[in-house]
Amino acid sequence: MRRLLLWGGGALVVLGLVGLIALWWVLLRDLPDVETLADYRPALTSTVLDRNGTPIGEFFEERRRLVTLDEVPEVVIQAFLAAEDDTFYQHRGVDYMSIARAASAVVLAGGSKVQGGSTITQQMVKQLLLSPEQTYTRKIRELYLAQRVEERFSKDEILSLYLNHIYFGSGAYGIWEAARTYFNKPLSDVTPGEAAMLAGLPKAPGKNSPFLSPVRAEERRLYVVSRMLEEGFIDADMVETAQTPPPLADPDANPFADAGYVTEEVRRRLVDVIGNDLVLNGGLTIETTIDLSVQQAAVRSVQHGVEELDHRRGYRGPLRQVGNDGADAEIERLGQAFGLEEGSLPLGWGNTPREAVVTRVGKDVATIAFAPGVTATVALEGSKWAHDGNDPSLHGRTVESLIDVFQVGDVAAFRILPPAAETVETPDGLQATLYQEPDAQGALLSYDIHSGDLLAMVGGYAFGSSEFNRALQARRQPGSAFKPIIYGAAITRGFTQATILHDRPVVYEDFASGFVFKPENYGRRFLGPLTMTEALARSVNNAAIHLLADVGIDYVMDFAADLGIHSPLERVLGLALGVSPVTLLEITRAYGVMAANGRYVEPRLIVRVTDRDGNRILEDVALDPVVAAPTPSLHSATSGTPEAEPAMEAPPIADVAVVENDDELAAEDTAPPLPADHVMQPADAYLAGSLLRSVVTHPRGTGRRALRLGHPVGGKTGTTNDNTDAWFVGFSADIATGVWVGIDAKEVLGRRETGGKAAAPIWIDFMESALAERKPRDFEVPDGIVFTRIDAKTGKLASSTGEATLFQAFKAGTEPTERAAPTDPDGDPRRRLRLDF
């Protein structure tokens, strides 16, 4: 018997051991190594910075920034301890009393889970080492690992891991990002009431979100406040303040909206070079050349200019019409869609156009409703632009009554106006203005001609509506904005600003196809002989075509390539009028060469990229991924205002007689070598830039409006056939900027919507901001340049009684030697003074 008992006891021991081994095999085998937490490297947000270190964009899959526990305010830590684990600093990873209370609550609730018993350590283990599945097996593994973690890491290390890793809802991972997402403030500035809201989120980030469930979120927040009081973390006086609902950030606000086109180009370039995963999860710091204040000015200028154009084009009508009978139902639907409560508007509504229903229309005032009880008035004064946009003959007209604009039941977009004395008074003070998203687009690109640093880039009216970057990706006909390339090439072949060009009728015929090319000027009249200065300033078409024929099409095409224009150019005389499409980057870069006295500088987008550990992984990334500084070609061996003219189609060059008389052109083999980084001789580039400055300073120059800047500048308008593209490209002594305006579908912009009217105001408005902090500075005069006063009409040396004179630059030895004949010796000297420029 005794032996039987011994054998039975032994068997039970063996079975117990086998059971324990089996239990271990089932529950605890293949456990994650807690040591991996020592090298915690979660997915981190990559941040894009402007040149001054200001964030302008982010890339992420999980929006997270790591912080040390020292950077977390004490009140935030206390809020989490009160809400999640008040014995955190006492237990060893598992709080068995809390587990017992949670189990009892489940029994009393009939099996429903009422409260949790997990410690912060257990939650951290579940988040970082295990899956979130709700099984007993996973729970046992969690309990075991929690104790192992407590043996390996300090309490502060565990709390730091927890606060950096947990999800707070609304795309925010970690406590730093949560403070910014919900309160738009640094973590260091979080108040006790705000800390209570953050601590209430991890339990159920969706259900407790103040953006999605404000009532439930407030109940949860107040619960955490009460727990903080119970634990002695705050006193009664602090409770009173903490119980006041904290103001929330605007969930729809995008702090990086102004740099959307820039950051998307940064992302595209980096993904190509270092891969998508590192860009989205690597916590990179990406330093760009962008100046945020200049970028914001660029966005404002483009949006304002395109909206002004859109207003001249007119109102295209309501988004839809629901009729008088359907107005109430539509208003109810809009209120639900926008989450509006009667008599109130969410934060940020004044910045974003919103749909509303027209409920009443009078001559001078209309009433609209965004939701039941949320109404506003619209005044005629801000809606006079809203003529019938479907009738081109009304382009630029105004309306005198809102009855001609709205009908009851119209659903349209409106912007809420800030309070202003001149706006119409309403019972609730809410006023709005009609908004219409433009069908036209605009683009702007600006860079420092000395360093090449890109200062601003706007690729369209709104990045949120269209990510297509028209500054880099769109090829459009430049129209007369291409003429300076022809004139610059001519300068390198010995032409001077005083060279006489002829504006006379000419007919070119393609004998193979029978196509006849008869170029005309914008004003449909011919001006006869003109100096090169006046011909470019007044943007005379025929003069440019004659000049192209004299200089040589192939030579000009090579010259354009040297200046950075690499889009395919057609070998046609219409090249002089900009028939070959180019990008805004290309044409702006070409002007920049002339502004920089011939030095080619590739615009730069990214200064450097460093990883999360501060290691430099990339630097000096050019804006154009394809183009490096080009190798000099043919030319580099040598040294009330009229608007720009529309470009015109031209036949191929094959059957057109073009004479290149090399005896009359500058000798190509006798010029000095080019300086380093130059694609033009400095003197040639200075003269080409001087021609562009004359476009602004000449009394009849198409860019004369730019004089208001008070800085020496040069530039050129450009307009294509039927006014489908409008350009203004120009520069100061430091900055080159190009502006394009058009419609993606290449539709007509409207009557007289030329480069001078549609694009130049954007350029001028932007340059006023870009140059505001810079002192006016003249262009550097290179060696070998002399200045002579010439007769504006003949290009000869000015006589003492000449009616109009020009003070012009020349390469030494090329200035005119013959003096113009005296005219009108008894004329009014004051008139001569007015014509002297």
Side-chain angles (χ1 to χ4, degrees), residues 483-503 527-548 550-551 556 559 594 664-665 680 684-698 700-702 715-716 790-796 806 808-811 814 816 837:
K483 288 176 182 173
I485 311 302
I486 314 296
Y487 282 73
I491 291 291
T492 69
R493 303 207 77 175
F495 290 75
T496 75
Q497 296 188 83
T499 298
I500 295 297
L501 304 180
H502 293 277
D503 177 30
L527 304 176
L530 303 164
T531 64
M532 274 182 59
T533 295
E534 185 174 1
L536 183 61
R538 299 179 68 174
S539 199
V540 179
N541 281 344
N542 280 2
I545 292 169
H546 293 314
L547 185 61
L548 173 62
D550 288 343
V551 174
V556 168
F559 178 79
M594 292 182 272
E664 295 180 1
L665 301 175
M680 291 181 72
D684 289 338
Y686 180 83
L687 295 177
S690 179
L691 282 168
L692 281 163
R693 291 188 284 277
S694 295
V695 174
V696 175
T697 59
H698 194 284
R700 296 182 178 178
T702 61
K716 183 71 186 73
I790 67 169
D791 182 83
K793 183 69 175 175
T794 65
K796 299 177 181 180
L806 290 167
Q808 296 273 239
F810 296 87
K811 285 192 288 188
T814 67
F837 54 93

Side-chain angles (χ1 to χ4, degrees), residues 430-454:
L430 201 60
Q431 299 136 54
T433 184
L434 176 64
Y435 172 80
Q436 171 178 266
E437 181 167 346
D439 54 4
Q441 293 286 345
L444 183 151
L445 188 145
S446 182
Y447 75 99
D448 186 305
I449 63 174
H450 307 297
S451 66
D453 286 351
L454 181 72

Side-chain angles (χ1 to χ4, degrees), residues 59-138:
F59 309 130
F60 55 84
E61 286 184 326
E62 294 182 2
R63 202 168 69 239
R64 178 189 286 113
R65 301 280 175 79
L66 292 183
V67 291
T68 65
L69 199 61
D70 291 339
E71 296 175 276
V72 182
E74 184 178 13
V75 70
V76 173
I77 295 174
Q78 292 169 340
F80 276 88
L81 296 180
E84 297 291 334
D85 191 354
D86 55 6
T87 62
F88 174 71
Y89 280 99
Q90 285 78 50
H91 63 66
R92 300 292 299 273
V94 179
D95 187 343
Y96 294 102
M97 290 297 295
S98 293
I99 293 175
R101 286 195 301 270
S104 299
V106 169
V107 172
L108 293 174
S112 299
K113 184 176 180 180
V114 177
Q115 67 184 65
S118 296
T119 64
I120 283 176
T121 309
Q122 288 176 254
Q123 294 180 50
M124 189 267 290
V125 165
K126 181 172 68 173
Q127 294 275 344
L128 287 168
L129 297 177
L130 298 173
S131 66
E133 61 181 346
Q134 297 289 334
T135 65
Y136 289 111
T137 301
R138 199 271 303 157

Side-chain angles (χ1 to χ4, degrees), residues 420-432:
E422 63 272 19
T423 55
V424 176
E425 292 295 332
T426 62
D428 57 4
L430 201 60
Q431 299 136 54

Side-chain angles (χ1 to χ4, degrees), residues 558-620:
D558 289 333
F559 178 79
D562 288 347
L563 268 57
I565 296 178
H566 297 282
S567 292
L569 301 180
E570 294 183 73
R571 193 174 181 270
V572 296
L573 287 175
L575 184 66
L577 307 183
V579 298
S580 292
V582 298
T583 68
L584 182 61
L585 168 61
E586 288 176 320
I587 197 75
T588 305
R589 181 169 53 195
Y591 278 51
V593 171
M594 292 182 272
N597 281 352
R599 181 169 173 259
Y600 184 99
V601 179
E602 186 63 42
R604 181 175 65 154
L605 175 61
I606 299 173
V607 178
R608 70 181 60 86
V609 179
T610 52
D611 64 18
R612 67 172 74 195
D613 300 314
N615 300 312
R616 187 175 300 186
I617 60 176
L618 205 61
E619 61 184 4
D620 293 331

Side-chain angles (χ1 to χ4, degrees), residues 14-55:
V14 171
L15 287 173
L17 290 173
V18 170
L20 288 173
I21 292 171
L23 184 66
W24 176 87
W25 181 259
V26 172
L27 299 178
L28 302 181
R29 69 185 177 94
D30 298 329
L31 283 175
D33 186 357
V34 298
E35 202 60 40
T36 59
L37 298 177
D39 187 29
Y40 174 66
R41 295 177 72 81
L44 295 181
T45 300
S46 293
T47 305
V48 186
L49 307 175
D50 86 333
R51 66 192 301 114
N52 300 310
T54 303

Side-chain angles (χ1 to χ4, degrees), residues 307-532:
E307 287 176 6
E308 287 291 305
L309 167 63
D310 190 65
H311 287 181
R312 294 192 295 272
R313 288 170 58 81
Y315 181 47
R316 297 186 296 277
L319 302 174
R320 55 189 176 277
Q321 231 293 335
V322 297
N324 199 8
D325 294 338
D328 289 342
E330 182 70 9
I331 293 168
E332 183 74 29
R333 189 192 69 80
L334 290 177
Q336 292 175 355
F338 297 139
L340 292 178
E341 297 179 2
E342 185 168 339
S344 65
L345 285 176
L347 186 69
W349 253 62
N351 302 322
T352 307
R354 306 283 184 172
E355 290 183 13
V357 180
V358 177
T359 58
R360 188 174 60 195
V361 183
K363 178 179 180 295
D364 297 317
V365 178
T367 304
I368 61 173
F370 295 99
V374 183
T375 63
T377 58
V378 179
L380 171 64
E381 187 59 36
S383 305
K384 286 189 172 183
W385 59 270
H387 65 270
D388 184 358
N390 299 307
D391 184 350
S393 68
L394 298 177
H395 186 91
R397 303 286 182 85
T398 59
V399 296
E400 300 302 325
S401 172
L402 288 178
I403 297 173
D404 298 328
V405 179
F406 299 125
Q407 293 181 10
V408 172
D410 281 355
V411 181
F414 298 87
R415 275 182 175 148
I416 295 174
L417 296 173
E422 63 272 19
T423 55
V424 176
E425 292 295 332
T426 62
D428 57 4
L430 201 60
Q431 299 136 54
T433 184
L434 176 64
Y435 172 80
Q436 171 178 266
E437 181 167 346
D439 54 4
Q441 293 286 345
L444 183 151
L445 188 145
S446 182
Y447 75 99
D448 186 305
I449 63 174
H450 307 297
S451 66
D453 286 351
L454 181 72
L455 302 176
M457 179 172 64
V458 180
Y461 171 75
F463 181 75
S465 300
S466 170
E467 296 183 9
F468 181 64
N469 190 336
R470 296 155 188 85
L472 302 180
Q473 297 169 295
R475 284 179 173 155
R476 303 290 291 235
Q477 289 183 329
S480 292
F482 196 83
K483 288 176 182 173
I485 311 302
I486 314 296
Y487 282 73
I491 291 291
T492 69
R493 303 207 77 175
F495 290 75
T496 75
Q497 296 188 83
T499 298
I500 295 297
L501 304 180
H502 293 277
D503 177 30
R504 58 175 179 256
V506 64
V507 176
Y508 295 101
E509 182 175 359
D510 181 354
F511 299 108
S513 66
F515 182 87
V516 177
F517 178 43
K518 297 188 293 184
E520 296 178 331
N521 293 321
Y522 186 75
R524 302 294 191 270
R525 64 192 182 96
F526 298 96
L527 304 176
L530 303 164
T531 64
M532 274 182 59

Side-chain angles (χ1 to χ4, degrees), residues 86-280:
D86 55 6
T87 62
F88 174 71
Y89 280 99
Q90 285 78 50
H91 63 66
R92 300 292 299 273
V94 179
D95 187 343
Y96 294 102
M97 290 297 295
S98 293
I99 293 175
R101 286 195 301 270
S104 299
V106 169
V107 172
L108 293 174
S112 299
K113 184 176 180 180
V114 177
Q115 67 184 65
S118 296
T119 64
I120 283 176
T121 309
Q122 288 176 254
Q123 294 180 50
M124 189 267 290
V125 165
K126 181 172 68 173
Q127 294 275 344
L128 287 168
L129 297 177
L130 298 173
S131 66
E133 61 181 346
Q134 297 289 334
T135 65
Y136 289 111
T137 301
R138 199 271 303 157
K139 192 67 176 179
I140 292 172
R141 291 160 68 90
E142 175 190 300
L143 294 173
Y144 177 77
L145 286 171
Q147 296 175 85
R148 292 286 306 276
V149 168
E150 291 269 351
E151 293 171 1
R152 171 62 180 84
F153 299 98
S154 70
K155 289 288 187 179
D156 284 355
E157 288 172 330
I158 294 170
L159 187 58
S160 178
L161 283 170
Y162 172 77
L163 290 175
N164 277 300
H165 191 80
I166 53 176
Y167 181 57
F168 286 85
S170 298
Y173 289 82
I175 189 65
W176 189 96
E177 195 61 55
R180 190 183 73 161
T181 297
Y182 290 103
F183 307 117
N184 193 28
K185 62 166 53 178
L187 178 60
S188 58
D189 294 344
V190 168
T191 66
E194 293 166 342
M197 178 167 283
L198 296 178
L201 286 167
K203 186 178 182 66
K207 292 181 179 179
N208 294 334
S209 169
F211 295 152
L212 303 177
S213 305
V215 175
R216 184 184 176 110
E218 182 60 15
E219 291 174 352
R220 174 69 175 165
R221 191 187 72 83
L222 292 176
Y223 163 75
V224 177
V225 170
S226 67
R227 288 287 300 121
M228 293 172 73
L229 178 63
E230 290 174 13
E231 293 297 325
F233 294 142
I234 57 176
D235 57 29
D237 292 337
M238 296 175 67
V239 167
E240 185 175 353
T241 302
Q243 285 180 333
T244 302
L248 299 173
D250 177 7
D252 296 325
N254 179 2
F256 307 127
D258 287 338
Y261 288 103
V262 172
T263 54
E264 173 58 15
E265 186 61 23
V266 168
R267 187 198 65 79
R268 291 176 65 250
R269 299 300 311 285
L270 292 183
V271 167
D272 287 345
V273 178
I274 61 178
N276 193 57
D277 184 67
L278 187 56
V279 172
L280 295 183

